[in-house]
Amino acid sequence: MPEIKVTPLGAGQDVGRSCILVSIGGKNIMLDCGMHMGYNDDRRFPDFSYITQNGRLTDFLDCVIISHFHLDHCGALPYMSEMVGYDGPIYMTHPTKAICPILLEDFRKITVDKKGETNFFTSQMIKDCMKKVVPLNLHQTVQVDDELELKAYYAGHVLGAAMVLIKVGSESVVYTGDYNMTPDRHLGAAWIDKCRPDILISESTYATTIRDSKRCRERDFLKKVHESIERGGKVLIPVFALGRAQELCILLETFWERMNLKAPIYFSTGLTEKANHYYKLFITWTNQKIRKTFVQRNMFEFKHIKAFDRSYADNPGPMVVFATPGMLHAGQSLQIFKKWAGNEKNMVIMPGYCVQGTIGHKILNGQRKLEMEGRSTVRIILDVKLQVEYMSFSAHADAKGIMQLIRMAEPRNMLLVHGEALKMEFLKGKIEQEFNIDCYMPANGETITVSTNPSVPVDISLNLLKREMALGGPLPDPKKPRTMHGTLIMKENSMKLVSSEQALKELGLNEHQLRFTCRVQLQDPHSDLDTLHRIYTHLKSLLKGYTIQHVPDGTVMVESIVIKVSSSAEDPNNKVLLLSWSYQVESFSFNYIHSLLKF
């Protein structure tokens, strides 16, 4: 029986380092190739030795698919393609292809140029890696080879994020990447058609969360920022360069305008310009409101939000700063946090999920003393006195959204990745209970095997359907299977069920008659002719509504069934009845024989 195998090399019962290996119909596909933000050693990359101990990955992979530009989904891509070795196609959407190298280069600068780490990819490796990228358009079916095909669907989440349907023959898998089922201020909601895949592989970051009203969260966020500014404090909002950052910028921009506030708002240098450029370039990926008003007013050109310079962090008075990255694990957001952490007037608002091991995760869990790297690798203890707030503006689907996607796609099996084990366990139970399908949650390195029952599509001729209807059968219903009798013709990789007459005509064949024979013995003292006549009379009274004939050649015919009588030479009373019938009336013939034996 055909089967699909799924092995997470990253994001199995964990958030970060997304990398899932799928074997389907003899093809091997890698879904995402991310890095873990909580580690600074070899554990930051997926374990590619699972695929091969030596040699390049090209020999073992048919293609790589990247769902979106976040580093926990694409951060290990140059390492995998240029350092481990992969020359095959890498599929991603146009916005992801444009933004991915910028974020990879930013991260490389922080890791190599500032921290001085070795065993990391170079700028040239990022460029070489991006040359292997094949761009995907939404709803366009792309043939990787003769058997493997891909189709991308809109996932919300961030600009260019896509869910991908992977098909080999009649087997299929959908990989969601990260997605959001509720539209926000700048992106639409995720959508997929009723593709009924064998497996739906879904993220489960917020597996146990059902988020409150978005409007309430926005009101709370603005209230907290305003209160902090009023008392002369500074507000740090760690964000990733694109996505949530734009969402919150639009929110603060309209609030500042409405309230006529004067406190400055800053955004990490360079990234606003780049973000603006890409949102203009890929305006079709944003929501309807932004597309409609784009000609009159570009929502991403801000009046109150200015570029940030690192010297501003020491300026007196209130300010709001959006700084990258979003989990306080490195970069400018961490530098500002260190400067502002000692003042209780200040505030840090964490607007999204923080991976275990990051500073963001530690402060959200109430840690008030942090061991940090100082100058020349001296460890220092940082006292956290500022206010720490968590407000989920995350662009991930919550539990309700995940259930909504399952209803949309109608998968036969479910597989959860990109989440915490305990939360996954809870959601797994809910999915199995509500949808009555198997749900899996493999750990990293664990392989799940799902057997598939591939359906073979068969066309049916109109004449055969009409004949079935004339016989009084029920109307065709996809949910109630029924048996159809006909001849199956296979032509040019397609199958068709037709009537036997149509098959003979189409194929230019002559019909052959297939007949069954049977001998029945009985004791009767009369002559052969008398016995045959008595059989004829008996059947005439027994089988009403059938055509029964006594033919001059010494046979009796019931429809197409022929009966002859002969005597044994040794014992004339021992009669042998010879029956012959065509396969069309086989079931009737057995009943007929049974009635004869009672005679």
Side-chain angles (χ1 to χ4, degrees):
M1 190 178 277
E3 55 189 30
I4 299 170
K5 291 185 177 182
V6 182
T7 312
L9 303 185
Q13 298 180 14
D14 184 21
V15 177
R17 196 179 46 194
S18 281
C19 186
I20 294 117
L21 206 59
V22 172
S23 296
I24 174 173
K27 307 287 176 186
N28 294 320
I29 299 123
M30 184 186 283
L31 304 171
D32 280 337
C33 188
M35 62 163 62
H36 202 295
M37 299 303 179
Y39 299 118
N40 288 325
D41 51 23
D42 288 348
R43 289 175 297 172
R44 65 156 67 108
F45 296 131
D47 182 9
F48 298 116
S49 67
Y50 182 90
I51 303 171
T52 173
Q53 296 290 332
N54 42 35
R56 296 173 70 76
L57 297 176
T58 317
D59 305 332
F60 302 90
L61 292 174
D62 291 279
C63 74
V64 173
I65 299 165
I66 302 296
S67 62
H68 64 289
F69 59 66
H70 278 158
L71 293 176
D72 61 330
H73 292 260
C74 71
L77 198 55
Y79 174 80
M80 185 272 299
S81 69
E82 307 312 306
M83 294 171 81
V84 179
Y86 172 73
D87 300 317
I90 300 166
Y91 291 92
M92 57 179 79
T93 64
H94 287 275
T96 306
K97 186 189 176 190
I99 297 161
C100 197
I102 295 163
L103 298 188
L104 286 168
E105 180 56 30
D106 264 10
F107 194 74
R108 188 205 64 77
K109 278 180 188 164
I110 292 166
T111 312
V112 179
D113 299 353
K114 290 186 182 169
K115 291 188 181 174
E117 285 190 35
T118 53
N119 192 29
F120 210 78
F121 48 80
T122 63
S123 294
Q124 189 55 47
M125 284 178 185
I126 296 170
K127 287 172 189 163
D128 293 342
C129 168
M130 297 315 289
K131 286 173 189 169
K132 295 166 187 172
V133 170
V134 180
L136 283 173
N137 291 315
L138 290 179
H139 310 299
Q140 175 197 355
T141 301
V142 173
Q143 289 290 148
V144 177
D145 57 31
D146 291 344
E147 296 163 317
L148 174 60
E149 62 179 54
L150 312 174
K151 190 176 183 181
Y153 293 91
Y154 190 78
H157 187 63
V158 291
L159 192 70
M163 301 188 269
V164 183
L165 169 67
I166 301 142
K167 275 184 89 171
V168 179
S170 63
E171 294 176 284
S172 62
V173 168
V174 166
Y175 175 58
T176 64
D178 292 349
Y179 63 102
N180 192 5
M181 295 302 286
T182 50
D184 55 30
R185 284 170 184 269
H186 74 298
L187 294 174
W191 181 87
I192 195 166
D193 57 27
K194 214 173 277 302
C195 47
R196 298 188 176 96
D198 292 299
I199 307 175
L200 172 62
I201 303 172
S202 170
E203 65 132 320
S204 52
T205 319
Y206 290 98
T208 56
T209 309
I210 293 178
R211 279 199 287 271
D212 55 359
S213 138
K214 195 160 162 291
R215 195 157 285 179
C216 291
R217 263 178 292 141
E218 289 181 347
R219 205 164 43 237
D220 273 1
F221 169 75
L222 294 171
K223 188 182 170 201
K224 285 192 166 79
V225 172
H226 194 205
E227 281 171 359
S228 190
I229 293 296
E230 288 292 290
R231 64 170 181 264
K234 294 175 169 60
V235 182
L236 171 64
I237 306 167
V239 286
F240 288 105
L242 290 114
R244 203 173 302 135
Q246 280 67 39
E247 186 76 1
L248 297 175
C249 280
I250 293 170
L251 189 58
L252 279 187
E253 173 79 7
T254 50
F255 183 70
W256 247 240
E257 187 74 25
R258 196 170 70 237
M259 302 292 287
N260 195 24
L261 298 175
K262 301 293 179 226
I265 307 173
Y266 298 115
F267 201 116
S268 291
T269 326
L271 287 173
T272 18
E273 292 81 32
K274 281 175 189 167
N276 247 331
H277 172 68
Y278 288 116
Y279 277 100
K280 283 177 192 170
L281 193 59
F282 301 112
I283 194 74
T284 53
W285 286 76
T286 59
N287 67 23
Q288 209 171 350
K289 187 184 173 187
I290 286 182
R291 288 202 302 272
K292 272 185 180 174
T293 60
F294 184 70
V295 180
Q296 296 85 34
R297 178 182 172 231
N298 176 6
M299 291 284 275
F300 302 106
E301 280 173 3
F302 304 115
K303 184 173 132 190
H304 297 277
I305 300 167
K306 304 282 187 284
F308 180 75
D309 184 277
R310 66 180 61 189
S311 63
Y312 296 176
D314 301 317
N315 286 0
M319 68 175 77
V320 179
V321 176
F322 288 96
T324 58
M327 297 186 195
L328 289 177
H329 54 278
Q332 204 161 52
S333 61
L334 185 57
Q335 297 308 316
I336 298 167
F337 174 76
K338 285 180 189 174
K339 285 188 176 182
W340 293 359
N343 188 339
E344 58 272 3
K345 274 187 184 178
N346 298 338
M347 180 187 283
V348 60
I349 299 177
M350 305 301 295
Y353 186 87
C354 289
V355 169
Q356 205 163 347
T358 59
I359 299 294
H361 186 269
K362 286 173 185 172
I363 61 168
L364 285 177
N365 281 293
Q367 214 170 308
R368 287 292 167 183
K369 288 196 183 297
L370 300 169
E371 196 178 331
M372 314 279 281
E373 278 182 21
R375 292 182 188 281
S376 63
T377 68
V378 176
R379 310 296 287 179
I380 58 163
I381 301 294
L382 184 71
D383 270 332
V384 180
K385 289 180 184 171
L386 54 51
Q387 281 178 267
V388 178
E389 296 287 347
Y390 172 72
M391 309 200 74
S392 177
F393 283 95
S394 180
H396 290 271
D398 62 1
K400 207 162 133 192
I402 294 167
M403 299 301 241
Q404 197 183 332
L405 187 78
I406 297 171
R407 276 184 214 100
M408 236 183 222
E410 289 188 2
R412 294 182 185 92
N413 297 275
M414 192 71 192
L415 193 141
L416 300 175
V417 293
H418 201 283
E420 295 163 28
L422 285 173
K423 293 178 181 178
M424 278 180 164
E425 195 73 59
F426 176 80
L427 184 63
K428 175 182 185 292
K430 287 280 181 201
I431 290 168
E432 289 178 336
Q433 183 188 339
E434 186 166 333
F435 298 102
N436 197 26
I437 57 173
D438 288 328
C439 183
Y440 305 94
M441 42 171 284
N444 287 335
E446 183 188 344
T447 300
I448 292 296
T449 304
V450 174
S451 296
T452 60
N453 296 314
S455 52
V456 180
V458 175
D459 294 327
I460 186 162
S461 78
L462 192 59
N463 288 341
L464 194 59
L465 265 179
K466 282 179 180 172
R467 184 187 291 183
E468 285 285 322
M469 300 302 292
L471 292 170
L475 288 165
D477 182 351
K479 290 184 180 172
K480 289 179 185 168
R482 57 183 281 197
T483 309
M484 299 287 282
H485 294 278
T487 305
L488 194 65
I489 298 176
M490 189 171 173
K491 245 184 191 176
E492 296 164 356
N493 293 331
S494 67
M495 292 202 217
K496 194 173 172 188
L497 192 68
V498 298
S499 63
S500 52
E501 297 83 11
Q502 191 179 334
L504 290 169
K505 195 176 172 184
E506 276 190 31
L507 302 170
L509 299 172
N510 294 322
E511 188 175 8
H512 293 263
Q513 276 287 345
L514 179 66
R515 294 189 73 84
F516 299 92
T517 57
C518 177
R519 291 170 188 273
V520 179
Q521 292 195 354
L522 58 90
Q523 291 294 316
D524 186 26
H526 302 91
S527 68
D528 292 356
L529 281 171
D530 282 350
T531 302
L532 193 66
H533 185 72
R534 291 179 70 213
I535 288 168
Y536 169 71
T537 311
H538 175 67
L539 291 174
K540 196 88 171 155
S541 64
L542 196 72
L543 300 169
K544 306 284 186 197
Y546 289 95
T547 308
I548 302 171
Q549 301 170 63
H550 194 163
V551 186
D553 66 354
T555 59
V556 168
M557 287 190 75
V558 181
E559 302 291 342
S560 65
I561 301 162
V562 179
I563 305 158
K564 281 187 179 180
V565 176
S566 62
S567 303
S568 166
E570 295 83 23
D571 181 5
N573 292 343
N574 186 20
K575 308 291 184 198
V576 177
L577 305 188
L578 184 71
L579 288 95
S580 167
W581 67 91
S582 66
Y583 77 94
Q584 286 96 333
V585 292
E586 188 182 354
S587 58
F588 166 70
S589 304
F590 282 116
N591 298 331
Y592 176 53
I593 293 164
H594 189 62
S595 68
L596 273 179
L597 291 172
K598 288 180 184 173
F599 168 68

